[in-house]
Amino acid sequence: MANFLFRYRVIFLGVFSMINISCFAQKNKNSSAKITEWKAELVKEIDQQQKSAQEMVDMIFSFAELGFQEYETAAYLKSILRKNGFSIDSNISGIPTAWIAKWGSGKPVIAIGSDIDCIPKASQKPGVAYHDPIVEGAPGHGEGHNSGEPLNIISVLALKKIMEREKIPGTLMIWPGVAEEQLGTKAYYIRDGYFKDVDACIFTHVGNTFTTGYGDNGYTGLVSVKFNFSGQAAHAAGDPWRGKSALDAVELMNTGWNYHREHMELTQRSHYVITDGGDQPNVVPSKASVWYFIRDRTYPKIMKNYQDCIKIAESAAAMTGTTVSYEVLGSAWPGHLNKPIAEAMYENIKQVGMPVWTREDQELAVAIQKEMRSGMPSDSFPGLAKTVSPLLLPFDPSFSASGGSDDIGDISWNIPTVVLLYPANIPALPGHHWSNAVAMATPIAHKGVIAGAKAEAMTLLDLFMNPALINSAKTYFKDVQTKDIKYTAIISAKDKPATFLNKKIMEEFRPEMKKYYYDPAKYANYLEQLGIKYPTIKN
């Protein structure tokens, strides 16, 4: 009976919330002029937050924390949100650097997310168009994840002012993608129910273009899995016949997988690193490990490749007389993005338009493009994009270009989701590289964040003020996206987030990196603190 009453209460509250939203929308339906007026107000307010955006972008850039170790970044962002009236739920899914911040009440509930981790060995002085690390060998924001949450916060705080004043119902929910480079957390957020009451999600990701898209976005999904082999140690010279080499098993597994590639579909991507190859050459390694990313364009293909990889690992163990176990370190579904919300967002992107780049911005962009593509003709150095890119249309998952992954895919298969690509980085760079950090604490990143925040805030306003948009998004999700394909988690109920990853690396480098944390009380920007002339380029 209690169960029945609980369900009845939930249904009643849901209906009541929808009536509330509809009544509010009808009351303000007098004209789209009101929405247009509020969007203009959002743009004006966000323009006034350029200093706040610059400080947040530069601060997180200076922290440069790898996945699962984003302690400074998490504490900094949570402190800003608490000061602005958000309630914080920390340690979600048992991940110390993961959190959810909420403000408002009732429906709709809109989740706003972005990643916060960085890249190994990508330390780089911003604004310098050649390799010049802040701390040699240290991590750095060689993708640009230092910019997404500042964009979200600027956007949401501008909208919050209007929602408070106009008494607009609904809930804003900000959350971080922790350890995205390891594809390590979003599937756990879904498994543990943090998105079960969310109506839609806007995710932001740094780009060198300004756009969004819908449908299959061309990304791969993956399983991230580490194979651990155990054998028997022995003196490598005196008694090698008494040893059973775990390293031999790793090498045989890798050889078997590399031969297997010839017979795999063109859409697959797979790669590995040996994380433990033994201790020293004169001891037969009793322990060795290899870490694989196994990617493809559809869930069935990912799982088939995963099972093939396990068979090859078991065969390598059998050949060497060792044993093997394996642990899932992360996973991601190929993404599918929502058409109605993407189309609404794209209209706002066009209205905002590209940032105005200065001569200095373009000089930096061209200089680093030349540095990374030396010997190419000069017309291969386009500088920064000057126009908004076209709306991204769906790919064919059965046969299309294959590439990277993002565990936003797991969110997208559970609630209507879009990804906003905002222009805060430089085109034609290799990605996951120190060169991709060059722009990320400069006016290029600051301007890109402001442009993205405007488009996001305007789209959020559309979602809160137009119940038909959310209804259309849910209809697309139900009748198109999930009509024939249903989400099945790659992780199991027993799998746990790999929060131990990157701990040793950050313990090694953090003491030196702390000396270079940005101090906005003393310096106007991070370039000034580091004594960098903008731009610094080779003569």
Side-chain angles (χ1 to χ4, degrees):
M1 180 57 130
N3 231 6
F4 171 77
L5 289 174
F6 176 76
R7 286 201 304 270
Y8 179 81
R9 181 171 177 268
V10 169
I11 292 167
F12 173 78
L13 288 173
V15 170
F16 182 76
S17 293
M18 290 309 296
I19 291 170
N20 240 358
I21 296 164
S22 296
C23 289
F24 181 86
Q26 287 297 324
K27 187 173 73 175
N28 289 278
K29 198 177 176 182
N30 321 10
S31 65
S32 58
K34 179 60 71 175
I35 307 300
T36 301
E37 177 188 325
W38 289 345
K39 285 186 177 181
E41 183 180 338
L42 287 171
V43 168
K44 184 177 179 182
E45 171 64 24
I46 290 168
D47 273 332
Q48 292 172 353
Q49 298 305 316
Q50 292 184 43
K51 179 58 180 171
S52 296
Q54 172 263 310
E55 285 191 5
M56 285 190 279
V57 168
D58 289 5
M59 184 69 79
I60 300 171
F61 182 92
S62 73
F63 293 150
E65 295 174 299
L66 293 170
F68 289 116
Q69 308 304 318
E70 310 98 333
Y71 289 96
E72 302 276 16
T73 303
Y76 174 68
L77 292 170
K78 288 193 290 185
S79 69
I80 293 170
L81 290 164
R82 279 197 191 97
K83 287 175 187 174
N84 285 278
F86 282 74
S87 62
I88 311 284
D89 183 7
S90 296
N91 201 41
I92 67 169
S93 290
I95 302 163
T97 57
W99 45 270
I100 287 175
K102 288 185 179 179
W103 176 87
S105 61
K107 290 284 194 174
V109 180
I110 310 299
I112 305 105
S114 198
D115 301 319
I116 58 173
D117 57 331
C118 76
I119 303 291
K121 295 181 175 63
S123 179
Q124 172 65 22
K125 291 177 182 175
V128 177
Y130 48 84
H131 193 208
D132 190 7
I134 299 171
V135 176
E136 184 67 49
H141 273 288
E143 180 160 348
H145 286 175
N146 61 303
S147 57
E149 287 292 30
L151 184 161
N152 292 341
I153 290 173
I154 293 294
S155 163
V156 162
L157 293 185
L159 179 65
K160 179 174 173 279
K161 286 187 176 183
I162 294 176
M163 291 180 71
E164 286 176 315
R165 186 188 69 218
E166 303 295 336
K167 297 182 171 50
I168 299 174
T171 303
L172 293 162
M173 170 180 152
I174 301 183
W175 59 279
V178 166
E180 187 275 334
E181 301 301 344
Q182 287 74 47
L183 291 306
T185 56
K186 298 185 185 85
Y188 291 98
Y189 300 167
I190 289 296
R191 186 193 69 181
D192 298 340
Y194 290 103
F195 283 77
K196 66 182 186 320
D197 296 321
V198 174
D199 294 289
C201 174
I202 292 179
F203 191 73
T204 59
H205 197 285
V206 61
N208 50 60
T209 59
F210 197 9
T211 189
T212 187
Y214 67 87
D216 183 314
N217 55 15
Y219 277 55
T220 55
L222 67 75
V223 180
S224 166
V225 55
K226 187 167 78 161
F227 294 89
N228 303 305
F229 292 87
S230 295
Q232 182 173 309
H235 193 299
D239 294 283
W241 49 85
R242 299 178 68 176
K244 297 184 186 301
S245 174
L247 179 58
D248 285 355
V250 164
E251 292 187 308
L252 283 167
M253 178 188 175
N254 293 342
T255 300
W257 185 258
N258 288 331
Y259 274 104
H260 182 59
R261 289 178 199 271
E262 180 184 355
H263 310 286
M264 299 174 74
E265 294 192 40
L266 297 178
T267 50
Q268 77 86 24
R269 292 286 188 276
S270 53
H271 19 268
Y272 56 83
V273 293
I274 298 173
T275 57
D276 180 5
D279 298 308
Q280 57 192 56
N282 65 330
V283 179
V284 174
S286 62
K287 302 288 184 184
S289 299
V290 60
W291 181 10
Y292 271 74
F293 273 20
I294 302 164
R295 307 183 199 244
D296 215 313
R297 293 281 284 109
T298 66
Y299 171 79
K301 290 181 181 180
I302 295 163
M303 299 309 290
K304 181 188 181 303
N305 293 344
Y306 180 29
Q307 292 305 316
D308 288 347
C309 202
I310 291 170
K311 288 176 185 175
I312 289 171
E314 290 171 342
S315 299
M319 284 189 283
T320 53
T322 60
T323 60
V324 64
S325 62
Y326 51 93
E327 54 186 319
V328 172
L329 301 183
S331 69
W333 259 66
H336 189 113
L337 305 176
N338 191 268
K339 184 177 181 180
I341 303 177
E343 289 177 336
M345 175 175 277
Y346 189 65
E347 291 304 311
N348 292 320
I349 288 170
K350 289 192 295 183
Q351 189 173 333
V352 172
M354 288 293 285
V356 177
W357 308 120
T358 64
R359 176 179 56 81
E360 291 81 7
D361 299 333
Q362 292 288 10
E363 282 180 357
L364 179 68
V366 170
I368 191 63
Q369 287 166 349
K370 287 181 178 179
E371 180 73 8
M372 297 311 301
R373 298 174 64 190
S374 57
M376 298 294 287
S378 60
D379 59 3
S380 294
F381 310 126
L384 298 166
K386 301 177 183 65
T387 58
V388 167
S389 297
L391 180 68
L392 299 174
L393 302 178
F395 284 78
D396 178 357
S398 62
F399 187 84
S400 63
S402 193
S405 310
D406 192 317
D407 49 353
I408 191 60
D410 290 80
I411 308 289
S412 76
W413 282 98
N414 284 272
I415 54 172
T417 301
V418 292
V419 174
L420 169 65
L421 296 172
Y422 56 94
N425 214 321
I426 296 169
L429 299 180
H432 289 186
H433 189 262
W434 63 261
S435 61
N436 292 84
V438 165
M440 291 314 304
T442 74
I444 295 171
H446 306 149
K447 292 172 189 176
V449 162
I450 289 295
K454 292 173 183 176
E456 179 175 74
M458 292 161 72
T459 307
L460 286 167
L461 184 64
D462 288 333
L463 288 166
F464 282 111
M465 291 301 300
N466 184 4
L469 177 55
I470 289 181
N471 290 338
S472 296
K474 290 182 175 180
T475 298
Y476 176 88
F477 180 81
K478 177 176 175 290
D479 295 344
V480 179
Q481 180 180 345
T482 61
K483 181 182 178 183
D484 300 314
I485 301 174
K486 306 299 179 186
Y487 177 80
T488 303
I490 294 172
I491 59 169
S492 72
K494 295 180 181 178
D495 288 323
K496 294 181 180 179
T499 55
F500 57 87
L501 288 174
N502 298 315
K503 184 177 180 182
K504 289 183 179 178
I505 299 173
M506 289 307 302
E507 285 176 348
E508 176 186 354
F509 287 104
R510 198 187 296 274
E512 185 65 19
M513 292 167 65
K514 277 186 174 181
K515 299 174 185 178
Y516 299 95
Y517 284 177
Y518 175 44
D519 185 352
K522 290 185 179 179
Y523 301 98
N525 52 56
Y526 199 41
L527 293 171
E528 180 183 302
Q529 179 169 328
L530 296 176
I532 295 168
K533 178 187 174 184
Y534 181 75
T536 296
I537 60 178
K538 287 182 177 178
N539 293 328

